[in-house]
């Protein structure tokens, strides 16, 4: 999840971006503030991956703040004035959203952030990566480390589970209900009595199955409604006039 902070002196502008963040499953709204002066104290206490920063604010504007800030998070500027764009990109901001911000434009910027942070994460030395969310399982007589973000799905197999990652398949003596209790239910979805899937890895879905890479995972009748609701809620683009 990409941890986001919103900085804007206008309450309605903050609320708009907050609502957009909450509709995107890979974004995590951490908080908001109305002044750039509040950002430093927040960053001292909380790790922020992505900053939505308004330009025109009292005391110190967003551009002035970025110029004096050391190692700022990935930043997307927001403003009602397009003439600031060139100066903003000179400060290596990721994107520039012009108010009033439409959701499709916001989502494009969010996808850009996801790609940028993925590249940045993969360039970090492996010794630092070990601080990321991970766990150990006993497999083939060894304790094996698995990074949660690498999981595609988990499948129950009697008294064992299969943990399928992007690179390898692991079999360990666990019950699926115990796995479900450990995994973050914002990132993982139970779709069948025998399957838990990673939401971010889902490529397509129907009323009967989910596609993750080359794997087709069944959706049971008892989980169908809840699965589609959590998967599509706020993210299904529609609006075709059936009468035409």
């Amino acid at each position: 999840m990409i941890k986001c902070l919103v900085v804007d002196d206008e309450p309605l502008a903050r609320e708009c971006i907050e609502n957009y963040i909450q509709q995107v499953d890979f974004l995590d709204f951490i908080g908001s503030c109305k002044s750039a002066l509040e950002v430093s104290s927040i960053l001292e206490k909380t790790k922020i991956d992505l900053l939505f920063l308004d330009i025109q604010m009292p005391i110190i504007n967003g551009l002035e703040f970025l110029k004096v800030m050391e190692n700022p998070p990935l930043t997307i500027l927001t403003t009602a004035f397009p003439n600031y764009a060139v100066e903003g990109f000179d400060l290596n901001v990721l994107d520039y959203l012009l108010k009033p911000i439409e959701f499709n434009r916001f989502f494009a910027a969010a996808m850009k952030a996801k790609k940028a942070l993925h590249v940045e994460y993969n360039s970090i030395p492996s010794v630092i990566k070990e601080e990321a969310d991970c766990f150990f399982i006993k497999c083939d007589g060894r304790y094996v480390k698995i990074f949660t973000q690498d999981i595609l799905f988990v499948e129950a197999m009697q008294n064992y589970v299969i943990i399928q990652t992007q690179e390898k398949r692991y079999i360990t003596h666990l019950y699926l209900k115990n796995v479900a209790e450990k995994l973050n239910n914002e990132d993982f979805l139970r779709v069948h009595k025998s399957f838990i899937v990673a939401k971010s890895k889902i490529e397509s879905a129907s009323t009967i199955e989910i596609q993750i890479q080359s794997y087709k995972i069944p959706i049971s009748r008892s989980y169908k409604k809840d699965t589609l609701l959590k998967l599509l809620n706020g993210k299904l683009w529609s609006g075709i006039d059936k009468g035409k």
Side-chain angles (χ1 to χ4, degrees):
M1 297 282 282
I2 299 173
K3 299 183 183 300
C4 304
L5 176 67
V6 180
V7 186
D8 199 308
D9 62 320
E10 299 176 7
L12 290 178
R14 289 199 304 272
E15 184 179 351
C16 173
I17 298 176
E18 290 169 19
N19 289 338
Y20 284 169
I21 290 172
Q22 290 165 358
Q23 293 182 56
V24 180
D25 61 2
F26 57 81
L27 298 182
D28 185 15
F29 175 66
I30 297 302
S32 65
C33 54
K34 59 184 179 181
S35 167
L37 296 177
E38 300 176 46
V39 175
S40 296
S41 60
I42 294 174
L43 294 179
E44 289 174 0
K45 302 173 184 176
T46 309
K47 180 184 180 297
I48 300 296
D49 302 309
L50 182 59
L51 186 64
F52 289 92
L53 180 65
D54 184 34
I55 292 179
Q56 287 201 313
M57 290 184 290
I59 305 177
I60 179 171
N61 70 37
L63 294 176
E64 292 169 342
F65 175 72
L66 284 179
K67 289 176 183 177
V68 300
M69 186 179 184
E70 293 184 8
N71 302 316
L74 199 63
T75 301
I76 294 175
L77 292 176
T78 63
T79 184
F81 302 94
N83 52 303
Y84 287 111
V86 173
E87 187 177 357
F89 284 118
D90 285 343
L91 294 171
N92 296 318
V93 301
L94 177 71
D95 209 340
Y96 186 103
L97 297 178
L98 190 62
K99 299 176 182 179
I101 301 168
E102 297 183 354
F103 180 77
N104 60 344
R105 182 64 184 85
F106 173 88
F107 187 73
M111 290 298 293
K112 190 183 293 187
K114 182 180 181 182
K115 182 177 180 180
L117 288 168
H118 176 73
V119 170
E120 180 181 313
Y121 177 83
N122 285 337
S123 67
I124 297 174
S126 59
V127 66
I128 298 177
K129 279 189 179 183
E130 294 191 0
E131 297 179 5
D133 188 15
C134 64
F135 59 91
F136 286 86
I137 59 169
K138 192 171 183 180
C139 183
D140 296 329
R142 298 179 300 132
Y143 293 101
V144 180
K145 177 185 285 183
I146 295 179
F147 288 95
T148 307
Q149 68 172 16
D150 291 338
I151 297 174
L152 301 181
F153 62 86
V154 184
E155 179 183 358
M157 190 177 64
Q158 294 182 348
N159 297 333
Y160 293 82
V161 294
I162 297 170
I163 300 177
Q164 181 68 52
T165 69
Q166 299 187 54
E167 298 180 354
K168 195 171 179 181
R169 177 188 184 194
Y170 300 92
I171 300 176
T172 188
H173 184 63
L174 281 171
Y175 292 104
L176 194 65
K177 67 176 183 178
N178 301 128
V179 176
E181 291 170 357
K182 298 290 186 182
L183 294 176
N184 186 339
N185 58 17
E186 291 184 3
D187 301 327
F188 290 87
L189 191 59
R190 185 80 173 262
V191 300
H192 190 282
K193 68 177 183 178
S194 299
F195 287 92
I196 297 171
V197 302
K199 289 170 64 177
S200 64
K201 304 300 190 302
I202 296 173
E203 297 175 4
S204 65
S206 69
T207 56
I208 61 171
E209 68 181 17
I210 280 172
Q211 183 86 31
I212 297 180
Q213 296 185 6
S214 61
Y215 303 99
K216 292 184 178 181
I217 295 148
I219 301 175
S220 66
R221 183 178 300 175
S222 59
Y223 284 94
K224 179 175 69 174
K225 183 178 179 180
D226 190 51
T227 295
L228 294 177
L229 180 64
K230 290 181 178 178
L231 187 61
L232 302 177
N233 186 29
K235 299 177 181 65
L236 178 63
W237 287 19
S238 60
I240 296 175
D241 188 347
K242 296 181 180 179
K244 295 182 179 181

